[in-house]
């Protein structure tokens, strides 16, 4: 099973950024533990701070990968382009957030991409990614 994890803006700063909200572990470090936890999954990881690059990546993998896990960061709340890209590809996408966006500022309560996703997982820290992987296992 091929799963790609796509992280959007500012998520390259995990471990350093607002650690009270996002934790002290970098994504690269967490990614290593995911590979150990799910040895039968073929993972790819991609991060960009640029909206168009995230859209290009969705187009590139969105017809061949078995599942996409996407944390679009702030673009979740603003990007019609990312929402349209998800609607246009055939690979199912699970939207993920580290923080519980519904317990935060009101502008984080809206996701433009959620309706085009298989589901949404938010608020479990980095474990949100592991839960998203589990949601694909058994489905694919
Ligand atoms: C986030 C939540 C977003 O509102 C925020 O802009 C992020 C991270 C999360 O994982 O909790 O960058 O997607």
């Amino acid at each position: 099973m091929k799963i790609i994890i796509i992280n959007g803006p500012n998520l390259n700063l995990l471990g350093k950024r607002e650690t009270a909200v996002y934790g002290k572990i970098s994504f690269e470090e967490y990614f290593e533990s995911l590979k150990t936890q799910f040895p039968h999954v073929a993972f790819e990881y991609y991060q960009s701070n640029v909206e168009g690059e995230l859209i290009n990546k969705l187009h590139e993998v969105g017809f061949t990968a078995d599942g996409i896990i996407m944390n679009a960061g702030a673009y979740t709340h603003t990007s019609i382009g990312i929402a349209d890209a998800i609607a246009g590809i055939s690979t199912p996408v699970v939207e993920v957030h580290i923080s519980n966006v519904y317990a935060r500022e009101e502008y984080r309560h809206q996701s433009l991409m959620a309706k085009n996703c298989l589901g949404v997982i938010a608020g479990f820290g980095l474990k949100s990614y592991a839960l998203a992987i589990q949601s694909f296992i058994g489905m694919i």
Side-chain angles (χ1 to χ4, degrees), residues 67-131:
I68 297 171
I69 293 167
M70 184 162 199
N71 184 347
Y75 288 143
T76 306
H77 318 298
T78 61
S79 176
I80 297 170
I82 289 175
D84 283 352
I86 293 170
I89 60 177
S90 54
T91 298
V93 178
V94 172
E95 176 182 332
V96 156
H97 299 285
I98 298 162
S99 65
N100 179 357
V101 283
Y102 301 101
R104 301 182 64 196
E105 298 94 333
E106 206 171 323
Y107 58 81
R108 295 185 204 275
H109 298 181
Q110 170 176 261
S111 165
L112 299 185
M113 57 189 269
K115 69 173 171 46
N116 300 333
C117 292
L118 201 55
V120 179
I121 298 171
F124 296 94
L126 285 170
K127 197 180 162 198
S128 293
Y129 292 90
L131 293 171

Coordinates of all heavy atoms in Angstrom, one line a residue, residues 67-131:
G67 N -3.5 6.1 -1.0 CA -4.1 7.1 0.0 C -3.2 8.3 0.1 O -2.0 8.2 0.0
I68 N -3.8 9.4 0.4 CA -3.1 10.7 0.6 C -3.6 11.2 2.0 O -4.8 11.3 2.3 CB -3.4 11.8 -0.5 CG1 -2.9 11.3 -1.8 CG2 -2.7 13.1 -0.1 CD1 -3.3 12.2 -3.0
I69 N -2.6 11.6 2.8 CA -2.9 12.2 4.1 C -2.4 13.6 4.0 O -1.2 13.8 3.7 CB -2.2 11.4 5.3 CG1 -2.8 10.1 5.4 CG2 -2.3 12.2 6.6 CD1 -2.0 9.1 6.2
M70 N -3.3 14.6 4.1 CA -2.9 16.0 3.9 C -3.2 16.8 5.1 O -4.3 16.9 5.5 CB -3.6 16.5 2.6 CG -3.1 17.9 2.3 SD -3.5 18.4 0.6 CE -2.3 19.7 0.4
N71 N -2.1 17.5 5.6 CA -2.3 18.6 6.5 C -1.9 19.9 5.7 O -0.8 20.2 5.5 CB -1.4 18.4 7.7 CG -1.6 19.5 8.7 OD1 -2.3 20.5 8.5 ND2 -1.1 19.3 9.9
A72 N -3.0 20.6 5.2 CA -2.7 21.7 4.4 C -2.4 23.0 5.2 O -2.3 24.1 4.7 CB -3.9 22.0 3.5
G73 N -2.3 22.8 6.6 CA -2.0 24.0 7.4 C -3.0 25.1 7.2 O -4.2 24.8 7.0
A74 N -2.6 26.3 7.1 CA -3.5 27.5 7.0 C -4.3 27.4 5.7 O -5.4 28.0 5.6 CB -2.7 28.8 7.1
Y75 N -3.7 26.8 4.6 CA -4.4 26.7 3.3 C -5.7 25.9 3.5 O -6.6 26.0 2.6 CB -3.5 26.1 2.3 CG -2.4 26.9 1.8 CD1 -1.2 26.4 1.5 CD2 -2.6 28.3 1.6 CE1 -0.1 27.1 1.0 CE2 -1.5 29.1 1.1 CZ -0.3 28.5 0.8 OH 0.7 29.3 0.4
T76 N -5.8 25.1 4.5 CA -7.1 24.4 4.8 C -8.3 25.3 4.8 O -9.4 25.0 4.2 CB -7.0 23.7 6.2 OG1 -5.9 22.9 6.3 CG2 -8.3 22.9 6.5
H77 N -8.0 26.5 5.4 CA -9.1 27.4 5.6 C -9.3 28.5 4.5 O -10.2 29.2 4.5 CB -8.8 28.2 6.9 CG -8.3 27.3 8.0 ND1 -9.0 26.3 8.5 CD2 -7.1 27.3 8.7 CE1 -8.2 25.7 9.5 NE2 -7.1 26.3 9.5
T78 N -8.4 28.5 3.5 CA -8.4 29.5 2.5 C -8.4 29.0 1.0 O -8.8 29.8 0.2 CB -7.2 30.5 2.7 OG1 -6.0 29.7 2.5 CG2 -7.2 31.1 4.1
S79 N -7.9 27.8 0.8 CA -7.5 27.5 -0.6 C -8.6 26.7 -1.4 O -8.8 25.5 -1.2 CB -6.2 26.7 -0.6 OG -5.9 26.3 -1.9
I80 N -9.2 27.4 -2.3 CA -10.2 26.8 -3.2 C -9.4 25.9 -4.2 O -9.8 24.9 -4.6 CB -11.0 27.9 -4.0 CG1 -11.9 28.7 -3.0 CG2 -11.9 27.2 -5.0 CD1 -12.5 29.9 -3.6
G81 N -8.2 26.4 -4.5 CA -7.3 25.6 -5.4 C -7.0 24.2 -4.9 O -7.0 23.2 -5.7
I82 N -6.6 24.1 -3.6 CA -6.3 22.8 -3.0 C -7.6 22.0 -3.0 O -7.6 20.8 -3.3 CB -5.6 22.9 -1.7 CG1 -4.2 23.5 -1.9 CG2 -5.6 21.6 -0.9 CD1 -3.4 23.8 -0.6
A83 N -8.7 22.6 -2.6 CA -10.0 21.9 -2.5 C -10.4 21.3 -3.9 O -10.8 20.1 -4.0 CB -11.1 22.8 -2.0
D84 N -10.2 22.1 -4.9 CA -10.5 21.7 -6.3 C -9.6 20.5 -6.7 O -10.0 19.6 -7.4 CB -10.4 22.8 -7.3 CG -11.6 23.8 -7.2 OD1 -12.6 23.5 -6.6 OD2 -11.5 24.9 -7.9
A85 N -8.3 20.6 -6.4 CA -7.3 19.6 -6.8 C -7.7 18.3 -6.1 O -7.7 17.2 -6.8 CB -5.9 20.0 -6.3
I86 N -8.2 18.3 -4.9 CA -8.6 17.1 -4.2 C -9.8 16.5 -4.9 O -10.0 15.3 -5.1 CB -8.8 17.3 -2.7 CG1 -7.5 17.6 -2.0 CG2 -9.5 16.1 -2.0 CD1 -7.6 18.2 -0.6
A87 N -10.8 17.4 -5.3 CA -12.0 16.9 -6.0 C -11.6 16.3 -7.4 O -12.3 15.4 -7.8 CB -12.9 18.1 -6.2
G88 N -10.5 16.7 -7.9 CA -10.1 16.3 -9.3 C -9.3 15.1 -9.4 O -9.1 14.5 -10.5
I89 N -8.8 14.5 -8.3 CA -8.0 13.3 -8.3 C -8.8 12.1 -7.9 O -9.9 12.3 -7.3 CB -6.7 13.5 -7.5 CG1 -7.0 13.8 -6.0 CG2 -5.8 14.6 -8.0 CD1 -5.8 13.9 -5.1
S90 N -8.2 10.9 -8.2 CA -9.0 9.7 -7.8 C -8.5 9.1 -6.5 O -9.3 8.4 -5.8 CB -8.9 8.7 -8.9 OG -7.5 8.4 -9.2
T91 N -7.3 9.4 -6.0 CA -6.9 8.8 -4.7 C -7.6 9.5 -3.6 O -7.7 10.8 -3.6 CB -5.3 9.1 -4.6 OG1 -4.7 8.4 -5.6 CG2 -4.8 8.6 -3.3
P92 N -8.1 8.7 -2.6 CA -8.8 9.3 -1.5 C -7.8 10.1 -0.6 O -6.7 9.7 -0.4 CB -9.4 8.2 -0.7 CG -8.7 7.0 -1.3 CD -8.2 7.3 -2.6
V93 N -8.3 11.2 -0.1 CA -7.5 12.1 0.8 C -8.1 12.2 2.2 O -9.4 12.3 2.3 CB -7.4 13.5 0.2 CG1 -6.6 14.5 1.1 CG2 -6.8 13.5 -1.2
V94 N -7.3 12.0 3.2 CA -7.8 12.2 4.6 C -7.1 13.5 5.1 O -5.9 13.7 5.0 CB -7.4 11.0 5.5 CG1 -7.7 11.4 7.0 CG2 -8.2 9.8 5.2
E95 N -8.0 14.4 5.5 CA -7.5 15.7 6.1 C -7.1 15.5 7.5 O -7.8 14.9 8.3 CB -8.6 16.8 6.0 CG -8.3 18.1 6.6 CD -9.4 19.1 6.6 OE1 -10.3 19.0 5.6 OE2 -9.5 20.0 7.5
V96 N -5.9 16.0 7.8 CA -5.3 15.8 9.2 C -4.9 17.2 9.8 O -4.4 18.1 9.1 CB -4.1 14.9 9.1 CG1 -3.2 15.1 10.3 CG2 -4.6 13.4 9.1
H97 N -5.2 17.3 11.1 CA -4.6 18.5 11.8 C -4.1 18.0 13.1 O -4.6 17.1 13.8 CB -5.7 19.5 12.1 CG -6.3 20.1 10.8 ND1 -5.6 21.0 10.1 CD2 -7.4 19.8 10.2 CE1 -6.3 21.2 9.0 NE2 -7.4 20.5 9.0
I98 N -3.0 18.6 13.5 CA -2.3 18.2 14.8 C -3.1 18.8 16.0 O -3.4 18.1 16.9 CB -0.9 18.8 14.8 CG1 -0.1 18.2 13.7 CG2 -0.2 18.6 16.2 CD1 1.2 18.9 13.3
S99 N -3.5 20.0 15.8 CA -4.3 20.7 16.9 C -5.8 20.4 16.7 O -6.2 20.1 15.6 CB -4.0 22.2 16.9 OG -4.4 22.8 15.7
N100 N -6.6 20.7 17.7 CA -8.0 20.6 17.6 C -8.5 22.0 17.1 O -8.7 22.9 17.8 CB -8.7 20.3 18.9 CG -10.2 20.3 18.8 OD1 -10.8 20.5 17.7 ND2 -10.9 19.9 19.9
V101 N -8.6 22.1 15.8 CA -8.9 23.4 15.1 C -10.2 24.0 15.6 O -10.4 25.2 15.6 CB -8.9 23.3 13.6 CG1 -7.5 23.2 13.1 CG2 -9.7 22.1 13.1
Y102 N -11.1 23.1 16.1 CA -12.4 23.5 16.5 C -12.4 24.2 17.9 O -13.4 24.8 18.3 CB -13.4 22.4 16.5 CG -13.5 21.9 15.0 CD1 -12.8 20.7 14.7 CD2 -14.2 22.6 14.1 CE1 -12.8 20.3 13.4 CE2 -14.2 22.2 12.7 CZ -13.5 21.0 12.4 OH -13.5 20.6 11.1
A103 N -11.3 24.0 18.6 CA -11.1 24.6 19.9 C -10.3 25.9 19.8 O -9.9 26.4 20.9 CB -10.4 23.6 20.9
R104 N -10.0 26.3 18.6 CA -9.1 27.4 18.4 C -9.9 28.6 17.8 O -11.1 28.6 17.9 CB -7.9 27.0 17.6 CG -7.1 25.9 18.2 CD -5.9 25.5 17.4 NE -4.9 26.6 17.3 CZ -3.9 26.6 16.4 NH1 -3.8 25.6 15.6 NH2 -3.1 27.6 16.4
E105 N -9.2 29.5 17.2 CA -9.8 30.7 16.6 C -10.9 30.3 15.6 O -10.8 29.3 14.9 CB -8.8 31.6 15.8 CG -7.7 32.1 16.7 CD -6.5 31.3 16.7 OE1 -6.6 30.0 16.5 OE2 -5.4 31.8 17.0
E106 N -11.9 31.1 15.5 CA -13.1 30.8 14.6 C -12.7 30.6 13.2 O -13.2 29.7 12.5 CB -14.2 31.9 14.7 CG -15.5 31.3 14.5 CD -16.6 32.3 14.8 OE1 -16.5 33.0 15.8 OE2 -17.6 32.3 14.0
Y107 N -11.7 31.4 12.7 CA -11.3 31.2 11.3 C -10.7 29.9 11.0 O -10.6 29.5 9.8 CB -10.4 32.4 10.8 CG -9.1 32.5 11.6 CD1 -8.0 31.7 11.3 CD2 -8.9 33.5 12.6 CE1 -6.8 31.8 12.0 CE2 -7.7 33.6 13.3 CZ -6.7 32.8 13.0 OH -5.5 32.9 13.7
R108 N -10.3 29.1 12.0 CA -9.8 27.7 11.8 C -10.9 26.7 11.8 O -10.7 25.5 11.6 CB -8.8 27.4 12.9 CG -7.6 28.2 12.9 CD -6.5 27.7 13.9 NE -5.6 28.8 14.3 CZ -4.5 29.1 13.6 NH1 -4.2 28.5 12.5 NH2 -3.8 30.1 14.1
H109 N -12.2 27.1 12.0 CA -13.3 26.2 12.1 C -13.7 25.7 10.7 O -14.4 24.7 10.6 CB -14.5 26.8 12.9 CG -14.1 27.1 14.3 ND1 -15.0 27.6 15.2 CD2 -13.0 27.0 15.0 CE1 -14.5 27.8 16.4 NE2 -13.2 27.4 16.3
Q110 N -13.4 26.6 9.7 CA -13.9 26.3 8.4 C -12.7 25.6 7.6 O -11.6 26.0 7.6 CB -14.3 27.5 7.6 CG -14.5 27.3 6.1 CD -15.0 28.5 5.4 OE1 -16.2 28.6 5.2 NE2 -14.1 29.3 5.0
S111 N -13.1 24.4 7.0 CA -12.2 23.8 6.0 C -12.8 23.8 4.7 O -13.9 23.3 4.5 CB -11.9 22.4 6.5 OG -11.3 21.6 5.4
L112 N -12.1 24.4 3.7 CA -12.7 24.4 2.3 C -12.5 23.0 1.6 O -13.2 22.7 0.7 CB -12.0 25.5 1.5 CG -12.2 26.9 1.9 CD1 -11.6 27.9 1.0 CD2 -13.7 27.2 2.1
M113 N -11.5 22.2 2.2 CA -11.2 21.0 1.5 C -12.0 19.8 2.1 O -12.1 18.7 1.4 CB -9.7 20.7 1.6 CG -9.1 20.7 3.0 SD -7.3 20.6 3.0 CE -7.0 18.8 3.0
A114 N -12.5 19.9 3.3 CA -13.1 18.8 4.0 C -14.2 18.0 3.2 O -14.2 16.8 3.2 CB -13.6 19.2 5.4
K115 N -15.0 18.8 2.5 CA -16.1 18.1 1.8 C -15.6 17.2 0.7 O -16.3 16.3 0.2 CB -17.1 19.1 1.3 CG -16.7 20.0 0.2 CD -17.9 20.8 -0.2 CE -17.6 21.9 -1.2 NZ -16.7 21.5 -2.3
N116 N -14.4 17.4 0.2 CA -13.8 16.6 -0.9 C -12.9 15.5 -0.3 O -12.3 14.7 -1.1 CB -13.0 17.5 -1.8 CG -13.9 18.6 -2.5 OD1 -15.1 18.4 -2.6 ND2 -13.3 19.7 -2.8
C117 N -12.9 15.4 1.0 CA -12.0 14.4 1.6 C -12.8 13.2 2.1 O -14.1 13.3 2.4 CB -11.2 15.0 2.8 SG -10.0 16.2 2.3
L118 N -12.1 12.1 2.3 CA -12.8 10.9 2.9 C -13.2 11.1 4.3 O -14.3 10.7 4.8 CB -11.7 9.8 2.8 CG -12.1 8.3 2.9 CD1 -13.1 8.0 1.8 CD2 -10.9 7.5 2.8
G119 N -12.4 11.9 5.1 CA -12.7 12.2 6.5 C -11.7 13.2 7.0 O -10.7 13.5 6.3
V120 N -11.9 13.6 8.2 CA -11.0 14.6 8.9 C -10.6 14.0 10.2 O -11.5 13.6 11.0 CB -11.8 15.9 9.0 CG1 -10.9 16.9 9.7 CG2 -12.3 16.4 7.7
I121 N -9.3 14.2 10.6 CA -8.8 13.8 11.9 C -8.1 15.0 12.5 O -7.2 15.5 11.8 CB -7.9 12.5 11.8 CG1 -8.7 11.3 11.3 CG2 -7.3 12.2 13.2 CD1 -7.9 10.1 11.0
A122 N -8.5 15.5 13.6 CA -7.9 16.7 14.2 C -7.8 16.6 15.7 O -8.7 16.0 16.3 CB -8.8 17.9 13.8
G123 N -6.7 17.0 16.2 CA -6.7 17.2 17.7 C -5.9 16.2 18.5 O -5.9 16.3 19.7
F124 N -5.3 15.3 17.8 CA -4.6 14.2 18.5 C -3.1 14.3 18.5 O -2.3 13.4 18.7 CB -5.0 12.8 18.0 CG -6.5 12.5 18.2 CD1 -7.4 12.8 17.2 CD2 -6.9 12.0 19.4 CE1 -8.7 12.6 17.4 CE2 -8.3 11.7 19.6 CZ -9.2 12.0 18.6
G125 N -2.6 15.6 18.3 CA -1.2 15.8 18.2 C -0.7 15.1 16.9 O -1.5 14.8 16.0
L126 N 0.6 14.7 16.9 CA 1.1 14.0 15.7 C 0.5 12.7 15.5 O 0.5 12.2 14.4 CB 2.7 13.9 15.9 CG 3.5 15.2 15.7 CD1 4.9 15.0 16.1 CD2 3.4 15.6 14.2
K127 N -0.1 12.1 16.6 CA -0.8 10.8 16.4 C -2.0 10.9 15.4 O -2.4 9.9 14.9 CB -1.4 10.4 17.8 CG -1.7 9.0 17.9 CD -2.3 8.7 19.3 CE -3.0 7.4 19.3 NZ -3.9 7.2 20.5
S128 N -2.4 12.1 15.1 CA -3.5 12.3 14.1 C -3.1 11.6 12.8 O -3.9 11.1 12.1 CB -3.8 13.8 13.8 OG -4.3 14.4 14.9
Y129 N -1.7 11.7 12.5 CA -1.3 11.1 11.2 C -1.4 9.5 11.3 O -1.8 8.9 10.3 CB 0.2 11.5 10.9 CG 0.4 12.9 10.6 CD1 0.6 13.9 11.6 CD2 0.4 13.4 9.3 CE1 0.8 15.2 11.3 CE2 0.6 14.7 8.9 CZ 0.8 15.6 9.9 OH 1.0 16.9 9.6
A130 N -1.0 9.0 12.5 CA -1.1 7.5 12.6 C -2.6 7.1 12.5 O -2.9 6.0 11.9 CB -0.5 7.1 14.0
L131 N -3.5 7.8 13.1 CA -4.9 7.5 13.0 C -5.4 7.5 11.5 O -6.2 6.7 11.1 CB -5.7 8.4 13.9 CG -5.5 8.3 15.4 CD1 -6.1 9.4 16.1 CD2 -5.9 7.0 15.9

